[in-house]
Amino acid sequence: MSLEVVQLELLLGLADLIAQGFETALLAALEELDGRVLFNRRLDGDPRFQRVAAVMVGPEADVALVFLDHSGTTIQVENAGNSGRTIAREAEKARDRVVSETP
């Protein structure tokens, strides 16, 4: 896991998700890391998580998945490159599109 992904996890761990909300906390953390959201979507029917955001951080454009549990109080961060989830491949494709569009 890259330093930026670890920093993202730490920043989100310090955030007050109840007061800020998931998206606001995520955007605040990404602003500090000069990162960006690739997508943020609901996970209907998932037994553990209600939302997932794919984000891009760091000079190597590392992709992380940020999951929000059903209680809305706990976040789990995964490096997409090490994840076996289908959504991780979607996130990497989204990153590739963004990188290819950047001059």
Side-chain angles (χ1 to χ4, degrees), residues 38-39 41 54 63 65 78-97:
L38 299 169
F39 59 77
R41 64 174 70 143
V63 178
L65 300 172
E78 289 182 13
N79 186 322
N82 298 335
S83 177
R85 299 176 192 264
T86 303
I87 202 157
R89 303 297 72 81
E90 292 177 43
E92 289 177 328
K93 287 178 185 176
R95 183 257 332 260
D96 294 345
R97 281 192 300 274

Side-chain angles (χ1 to χ4, degrees), residues 1-3 5-6 9 77-79 82:
M1 202 177 289
S2 72
L3 176 61
V5 173
V6 171
E9 188 171 23
V77 178
E78 289 182 13
N79 186 322
N82 298 335

Side-chain angles (χ1 to χ4, degrees), residues 3-16:
L3 176 61
E4 290 81 10
V5 173
V6 171
Q7 287 175 312
L8 174 66
E9 188 171 23
L10 291 172
L11 287 168
L12 290 171
L14 296 172
D16 184 348

Side-chain angles (χ1 to χ4, degrees), residues 13-29:
L14 296 172
D16 184 348
L17 295 173
I18 299 298
Q20 288 183 289
F22 178 65
E23 187 170 8
T24 301
L26 181 63
L27 291 173

